[in-house]
Every structure is written in structure tokens, then in C-alpha cells.
Short mmCIF file of all heavy atoms in Angstrom, two decimals:
data_model
loop_
_atom_site.label_atom_id
_atom_site.label_comp_id
_atom_site.label_asym_id
_atom_site.label_seq_id
_atom_site.Cartn_x
_atom_site.Cartn_y
_atom_site.Cartn_z
N ALA A 1 0.51 -21.56 -93.00
CA ALA A 1 0.15 -20.17 -93.57
C ALA A 1 0.07 -20.25 -95.10
O ALA A 1 -0.78 -19.73 -95.74
CB ALA A 1 1.19 -19.16 -93.13
N ALA A 2 1.10 -21.00 -95.69
CA ALA A 2 1.12 -21.15 -97.20
C ALA A 2 -0.15 -21.89 -97.67
O ALA A 2 -0.72 -21.50 -98.67
CB ALA A 2 2.34 -21.82 -97.59
N ALA A 3 -0.50 -22.94 -96.92
CA ALA A 3 -1.70 -23.76 -97.33
C ALA A 3 -2.93 -22.93 -97.24
O ALA A 3 -3.77 -22.98 -98.12
CB ALA A 3 -1.82 -24.97 -96.40
N LYS A 4 -3.03 -22.05 -96.25
CA LYS A 4 -4.21 -21.20 -96.09
C LYS A 4 -4.24 -20.18 -97.27
O LYS A 4 -5.25 -19.97 -97.83
CB LYS A 4 -4.11 -20.43 -94.80
CG LYS A 4 -5.30 -19.52 -94.59
CD LYS A 4 -5.25 -18.82 -93.24
CE LYS A 4 -6.51 -17.91 -93.12
NZ LYS A 4 -6.47 -17.18 -91.90
N ARG A 5 -3.11 -19.65 -97.66
CA ARG A 5 -3.06 -18.70 -98.78
C ARG A 5 -3.41 -19.38 -100.13
O ARG A 5 -4.12 -18.83 -100.91
CB ARG A 5 -1.63 -18.08 -98.96
CG ARG A 5 -1.38 -17.00 -97.81
CD ARG A 5 -0.13 -16.18 -98.13
NE ARG A 5 1.01 -16.95 -98.37
CZ ARG A 5 1.96 -17.35 -97.39
NH1 ARG A 5 1.67 -17.00 -96.16
NH2 ARG A 5 3.01 -18.03 -97.74
N VAL A 6 -2.91 -20.65 -100.30
CA VAL A 6 -3.35 -21.40 -101.48
C VAL A 6 -4.85 -21.66 -101.52
O VAL A 6 -5.48 -21.45 -102.56
CB VAL A 6 -2.60 -22.74 -101.52
CG1 VAL A 6 -3.15 -23.61 -102.61
CG2 VAL A 6 -1.09 -22.48 -101.79
N GLN A 7 -5.43 -22.00 -100.37
CA GLN A 7 -6.86 -22.26 -100.30
C GLN A 7 -7.63 -20.97 -100.61
O GLN A 7 -8.60 -20.98 -101.38
CB GLN A 7 -7.24 -22.78 -98.97
CG GLN A 7 -8.78 -23.05 -98.80
CD GLN A 7 -9.11 -23.53 -97.44
OE1 GLN A 7 -8.38 -23.66 -96.56
NE2 GLN A 7 -10.42 -23.76 -97.26
N GLU A 8 -7.14 -19.83 -100.08
CA GLU A 8 -7.84 -18.58 -100.33
C GLU A 8 -7.75 -18.24 -101.83
O GLU A 8 -8.66 -17.70 -102.43
CB GLU A 8 -7.18 -17.43 -99.51
CG GLU A 8 -7.59 -17.59 -97.96
CD GLU A 8 -6.84 -16.65 -97.13
OE1 GLU A 8 -5.86 -16.02 -97.60
OE2 GLU A 8 -7.14 -16.57 -95.88
N ALA A 9 -6.57 -18.46 -102.42
CA ALA A 9 -6.31 -18.17 -103.83
C ALA A 9 -7.31 -19.08 -104.70
O ALA A 9 -7.91 -18.60 -105.69
CB ALA A 9 -4.83 -18.39 -104.22
N GLN A 10 -7.43 -20.33 -104.30
CA GLN A 10 -8.34 -21.19 -105.07
C GLN A 10 -9.77 -20.77 -104.95
O GLN A 10 -10.49 -20.74 -105.96
CB GLN A 10 -8.20 -22.70 -104.55
CG GLN A 10 -6.92 -23.32 -104.95
CD GLN A 10 -6.70 -24.67 -104.35
OE1 GLN A 10 -7.22 -24.98 -103.23
NE2 GLN A 10 -5.97 -25.57 -105.02
N GLU A 11 -10.21 -20.36 -103.72
CA GLU A 11 -11.53 -19.88 -103.57
C GLU A 11 -11.78 -18.58 -104.38
O GLU A 11 -12.83 -18.37 -105.04
CB GLU A 11 -11.81 -19.58 -102.14
CG GLU A 11 -11.93 -20.85 -101.35
CD GLU A 11 -12.08 -20.62 -99.84
OE1 GLU A 11 -12.03 -19.48 -99.33
OE2 GLU A 11 -12.21 -21.59 -99.07
N SER A 12 -10.79 -17.68 -104.45
CA SER A 12 -10.85 -16.52 -105.23
C SER A 12 -10.97 -16.82 -106.72
O SER A 12 -11.76 -16.20 -107.45
CB SER A 12 -9.65 -15.61 -104.93
OG SER A 12 -9.70 -14.43 -105.66
N LEU A 13 -10.19 -17.83 -107.14
CA LEU A 13 -10.27 -18.23 -108.54
C LEU A 13 -11.65 -18.83 -108.96
O LEU A 13 -12.17 -18.48 -109.97
CB LEU A 13 -9.22 -19.30 -108.92
CG LEU A 13 -9.14 -19.88 -110.22
CD1 LEU A 13 -8.98 -18.83 -111.33
CD2 LEU A 13 -8.16 -20.98 -110.36
N GLU A 14 -12.17 -19.62 -108.04
CA GLU A 14 -13.53 -20.22 -108.26
C GLU A 14 -14.54 -19.08 -108.37
O GLU A 14 -15.39 -19.12 -109.30
CB GLU A 14 -13.94 -21.19 -107.17
CG GLU A 14 -13.15 -22.44 -107.18
CD GLU A 14 -13.54 -23.36 -105.95
OE1 GLU A 14 -14.38 -22.95 -105.16
OE2 GLU A 14 -12.95 -24.43 -105.88
N GLU A 15 -14.43 -18.08 -107.51
CA GLU A 15 -15.42 -16.99 -107.53
C GLU A 15 -15.31 -16.19 -108.84
O GLU A 15 -16.21 -15.78 -109.45
CB GLU A 15 -15.27 -16.09 -106.31
CG GLU A 15 -15.65 -16.71 -105.10
CD GLU A 15 -15.39 -15.87 -103.80
OE1 GLU A 15 -15.11 -14.68 -103.98
OE2 GLU A 15 -15.50 -16.47 -102.71
N ALA A 16 -14.05 -15.97 -109.25
CA ALA A 16 -13.77 -15.22 -110.48
C ALA A 16 -14.32 -15.99 -111.72
O ALA A 16 -14.92 -15.43 -112.65
CB ALA A 16 -12.32 -14.97 -110.69
N GLN A 17 -14.16 -17.37 -111.70
CA GLN A 17 -14.71 -18.19 -112.79
C GLN A 17 -16.20 -18.13 -112.82
O GLN A 17 -16.86 -18.00 -113.92
CB GLN A 17 -14.20 -19.61 -112.61
CG GLN A 17 -12.79 -19.87 -112.96
CD GLN A 17 -12.32 -21.27 -112.61
OE1 GLN A 17 -12.81 -21.90 -111.65
NE2 GLN A 17 -11.37 -21.80 -113.45
N LEU A 18 -16.84 -18.13 -111.67
CA LEU A 18 -18.27 -18.03 -111.57
C LEU A 18 -18.79 -16.73 -112.13
O LEU A 18 -19.74 -16.60 -112.88
CB LEU A 18 -18.80 -18.30 -110.21
CG LEU A 18 -18.66 -19.68 -109.59
CD1 LEU A 18 -19.02 -19.74 -108.19
CD2 LEU A 18 -19.57 -20.69 -110.44
N ARG A 19 -18.11 -15.60 -111.69
CA ARG A 19 -18.45 -14.29 -112.22
C ARG A 19 -18.31 -14.21 -113.68
O ARG A 19 -19.13 -13.61 -114.39
CB ARG A 19 -17.65 -13.20 -111.49
CG ARG A 19 -18.09 -12.97 -110.03
CD ARG A 19 -17.46 -11.68 -109.55
NE ARG A 19 -16.04 -11.63 -109.60
CZ ARG A 19 -15.22 -12.11 -108.63
NH1 ARG A 19 -15.73 -12.68 -107.57
NH2 ARG A 19 -13.90 -12.06 -108.78
N ALA A 20 -17.23 -14.78 -114.25
CA ALA A 20 -16.98 -14.74 -115.66
C ALA A 20 -18.08 -15.50 -116.38
O ALA A 20 -18.58 -15.05 -117.44
CB ALA A 20 -15.58 -15.32 -116.03
N GLU A 21 -18.46 -16.68 -115.87
CA GLU A 21 -19.55 -17.46 -116.54
C GLU A 21 -20.83 -16.70 -116.48
O GLU A 21 -21.62 -16.62 -117.44
CB GLU A 21 -19.67 -18.79 -115.84
CG GLU A 21 -20.83 -19.61 -116.37
CD GLU A 21 -20.69 -20.19 -117.74
OE1 GLU A 21 -19.56 -20.17 -118.25
OE2 GLU A 21 -21.69 -20.61 -118.28
N ALA A 22 -21.14 -16.07 -115.30
CA ALA A 22 -22.37 -15.37 -115.23
C ALA A 22 -22.36 -14.15 -116.18
O ALA A 22 -23.37 -13.84 -116.83
CB ALA A 22 -22.56 -14.86 -113.75
N SER A 23 -21.22 -13.45 -116.28
CA SER A 23 -21.17 -12.31 -117.25
C SER A 23 -21.34 -12.78 -118.68
O SER A 23 -22.03 -12.15 -119.46
CB SER A 23 -19.81 -11.63 -117.10
OG SER A 23 -19.66 -11.08 -115.81
N ARG A 24 -20.84 -13.96 -119.01
CA ARG A 24 -20.92 -14.48 -120.32
C ARG A 24 -22.41 -14.80 -120.61
O ARG A 24 -22.91 -14.51 -121.68
CB ARG A 24 -20.03 -15.72 -120.51
CG ARG A 24 -20.00 -16.21 -121.96
CD ARG A 24 -19.24 -17.47 -122.20
NE ARG A 24 -19.89 -18.59 -121.43
CZ ARG A 24 -20.96 -19.17 -121.78
NH1 ARG A 24 -21.61 -18.81 -122.85
NH2 ARG A 24 -21.45 -20.21 -121.07
N GLU A 25 -23.03 -15.41 -119.67
CA GLU A 25 -24.51 -15.72 -119.83
C GLU A 25 -25.32 -14.47 -119.99
O GLU A 25 -26.23 -14.42 -120.86
CB GLU A 25 -24.95 -16.59 -118.66
CG GLU A 25 -24.36 -18.00 -118.60
CD GLU A 25 -24.78 -18.79 -117.41
OE1 GLU A 25 -25.66 -18.32 -116.57
OE2 GLU A 25 -24.28 -19.91 -117.25
N VAL A 26 -25.03 -13.41 -119.21
CA VAL A 26 -25.80 -12.24 -119.33
C VAL A 26 -25.52 -11.59 -120.67
O VAL A 26 -26.47 -11.12 -121.37
CB VAL A 26 -25.32 -11.24 -118.23
CG1 VAL A 26 -25.88 -9.83 -118.47
CG2 VAL A 26 -25.88 -11.68 -116.89
#
């Protein structure tokens, strides 16, 4: 369960980084 939460958190972080990069480019 902890490993699954870590994976979900990493995916959430990746998505946030992509959104931040896209916002910066815009």
C-alpha cells in the first residue's frame, strides 16, 4: 500500500512538473 501511494505521488509530481513547464512556455 505504501509503495502504491509513493508511485501515485511520483505520477502526480510528474504531471505537476509537466503542467508547470507548459504554463511557463505559454
Side-chain angles (χ1 to χ4, degrees):
K4 182 179 178 184
R5 287 192 304 272
V6 167
Q7 180 181 1
E8 290 169 352
Q10 287 174 331
E11 289 172 358
S12 181
L13 175 62
E14 288 177 359
E15 289 175 15
Q17 288 174 324
L18 290 172
R19 284 192 305 272
E21 174 69 14
S23 295
R24 188 185 62 73
E25 289 176 6
V26 168

